[in-house]
Structures are given as structure tokens and as C-alpha cells.
Amino acid sequence: FCAIAPAMPRKSLRRLVLLAPLALLRPARLFALPEEPRVEFYTMDMCPYAQRTWIALEEKGIPYSRRVVNLKNKTEVDWYKQNVNPLGKVPAIRDSDGTTLYESEIINEYLEQKFDCGPNLMPEDAAGCAHVKLWNHHLNNKLTPAHFTFLMNKNDTADAELQKALEDALQYYEDNLQGPYLAGNFSLADVSALPFFERLVFSCRKFKNYEIPKRMAKLQKWLETAMAHESFLVTKRPEQKLEEVYKMFLSVNYKFGGLNRN
């Protein structure tokens, strides 16, 4: 579900330059930065995993160039696999020193450790760092598959059970949230979760007439607070595009695991 050129989010002004074999997008920044980008960021327009890294780059104010990979173009894919990510997935980055990485959580930890600019996105203590990883583990292994399975279900008799599984996964957030953010201050736990909650809230409302229960007050407050972050707002996906993606998934009975899990 990639697009050659993304829609322009608000507060972001971009100049499109054609570079064989990829398109290069350099967005306006939230921070005053040097002219030359430090990081090449390879992405697809609607990928939530790539959006994680986009949020991290924006939050820390790291100079970057944004390259949108067209996975429908064999020439681009072959070049990308050979030169950037042999798995052919996004996101990936190439640092100015030549370091090339893929897998969103690995990339984001690298960015946090490598660059001193911007706010710290990991706690300073070992227990805090472990809790960030536990949040991400729950997101990746419980919430995301529960959401996708519920959304894709077309068997009415199974809907109640699948909705309960989703609410059980959501309840984990309600039970474990202690402050305005998942791990104290805004962290890589929030960065990882936001693209998936953006899609969960929209898709369940649009296609299942389902809302996160109001009784989950701490979860609702976290969503309100975290989604107000500028780094999320400039990466937020247009609802029209989200609708197109999920209509496509529903039309072909997409299964979780067929997604670009990266």
C-alpha cells in the first residue's frame, strides 16, 4: 500500500525532486537545522512502521531527506534491495557516516543514541528503558493483531469475541498508564504506538462503528495528549488515504502478517 508521492500534511512545505530511482522529499522542519541532511529516510506514504521513524526524526529535530520508495516499480525495488534493505521493506535509514539500518524500533533506538539534539526519547534508568520495550511488545504482539483481526472480520457471530479481544488489549493501556505519556515523558513507546492508534481509531469508527470505550479515561487522555505533539501532527495521514487503504484490505480479505511488519 505505497504511493509514489504523499499528500502534503499541514505545517509542512516540501519540494519534490526526482532522483533515479527514488523520489526525494525534504519537508519543512520544526527546528532550525543545517541545510544538509544528516540522514536519508526511506519510507512509503501510508506505512505505520515508517511513520514511527518519521515521528522520531521530527521529534528529535534530526536533519533528514525523505525518500519515498515505490515498491510497485521493479527497478526501484531492485535498487533498494541491493543498496539499502535486502528485505525490500520500509523504513530504512542511511546515516551520513554510511551506517544503513532497517526495522523501525532498531532505527529509532539508533537515532536516540546517536543524536544529542532534541528531547530524550528513552528514560535514563534501566527499568524505564525496559518498560518502553514492554509497551512496544504489547503493541506489536497483542494490540495490533487484535485490531486488525477485528477490523477484517466479516463473520457477525465472531464479532463480539473479537471485539472483546481488542478491548482486553486496550485495557492493558488503561491499567498501566501512570502519567500523561506511556513511560513518564514522551518516549519511543509513544512514538511506536501513535501511528497504530491513529489507524485503530479511524478504521474502527469508519468500518465497525466502534469507539474506544469512554470508561478507559486514562487511555483517552493519553491519546488526546500524545496526538497533540507537533511531531505526530506533521506526520498524520490524511483520512481519505486511510480509508482507501482499509477499503483495499477489506476487499481482498487481507490477513495480519501480510502487512509490512517492519
Side-chain angles (χ1 to χ4, degrees):
F1 51 97
C2 66
I4 294 176
M8 304 300 184
R10 64 193 182 97
K11 297 188 179 180
S12 196
L13 177 63
R14 301 193 180 94
R15 175 171 55 90
L16 180 63
V17 182
L18 296 181
L19 296 179
L22 299 172
L24 170 64
L25 294 175
R26 182 175 298 177
R29 304 309 310 261
L30 302 179
F31 299 91
L33 297 169
E35 291 185 2
E36 290 302 317
R38 290 288 309 276
V39 172
E40 293 180 351
F41 166 45
Y42 297 87
T43 184
M44 290 193 302
D45 188 29
M46 300 302 294
C47 176
Y49 297 94
Q51 190 180 353
R52 287 172 160 180
T53 293
W54 194 6
I55 294 171
L57 287 164
E58 285 287 347
E59 185 69 20
K60 292 196 69 67
I62 299 167
Y64 69 92
S65 57
R66 183 168 179 260
R67 296 175 175 243
V68 179
V69 185
N70 180 7
L71 296 184
K72 296 179 181 179
N73 184 307
K74 185 178 184 302
T75 301
E76 289 193 16
V77 171
D78 290 346
W79 181 92
Y80 184 67
K81 286 183 176 180
Q82 182 177 353
N83 293 279
V84 182
N85 183 355
L87 300 178
K89 297 180 178 182
V90 296
I93 64 163
R94 177 175 287 133
D95 201 347
S96 57
D97 63 5
T99 300
T100 303
L101 298 170
Y102 40 92
E103 299 290 339
S104 60
E105 290 179 15
I106 293 172
I107 292 170
N108 286 358
E109 288 193 35
Y110 170 83
L111 296 174
E112 171 63 13
Q113 294 179 32
K114 175 71 180 289
F115 295 95
D116 291 332
C117 54
N120 293 331
L121 294 179
M122 286 292 279
E124 295 183 358
D125 61 301
C129 291
H131 278 106
V132 167
K133 294 182 179 183
L134 285 173
W135 280 115
N136 289 345
H137 183 270
H138 178 78
L139 173 76
N140 296 334
N141 294 282
K142 297 294 184 181
L143 182 68
T144 304
H147 162 226
F148 203 79
T149 304
F150 172 58
L151 182 67
M152 293 294 110
N153 178 57
K154 297 177 182 179
N155 178 1
D156 291 343
T157 59
D159 237 26
E161 180 181 354
L162 295 176
Q163 179 177 316
K164 183 181 184 305
L166 173 60
E167 290 193 356
D168 287 346
L170 290 169
Q171 189 64 41
Y172 180 88
Y173 291 83
E174 183 67 16
D175 292 342
N176 290 281
L177 269 161
Q178 299 297 324
Y181 300 109
L182 296 181
N185 295 325
F186 189 81
S187 73
L188 291 183
D190 306 281
V191 169
S192 288
L194 279 170
F196 291 92
F197 272 93
E198 175 188 7
R199 286 154 177 80
L200 185 155
V201 170
F202 172 80
S203 62
C204 287
R205 178 184 297 140
K206 179 70 179 181
F207 298 103
K208 304 294 279 189
N209 196 29
Y210 175 81
E211 302 277 355
I212 294 175
K214 291 183 179 180
R215 60 181 168 79
M216 297 185 183
K218 289 193 291 184
L219 173 55
Q220 298 278 7
K221 182 61 177 177
W222 169 73
L223 284 170
E224 178 185 351
T225 303
M227 286 187 171
H229 260 253
E230 289 291 329
S231 57
F232 170 72
L233 292 174
V234 299
T235 70
K236 195 175 188 302
R237 301 293 74 209
E239 290 192 350
Q240 179 183 351
K241 291 283 189 179
L242 289 174
E243 183 175 351
E244 290 172 3
V245 167
Y246 284 107
K247 280 183 176 178
M248 182 272 289
F249 285 165
L250 287 162
S251 70
V252 298
N253 295 317
Y254 220 57
K255 303 296 183 184
F256 186 78
L259 289 169
N260 174 35
R261 293 198 66 185
N262 200 10

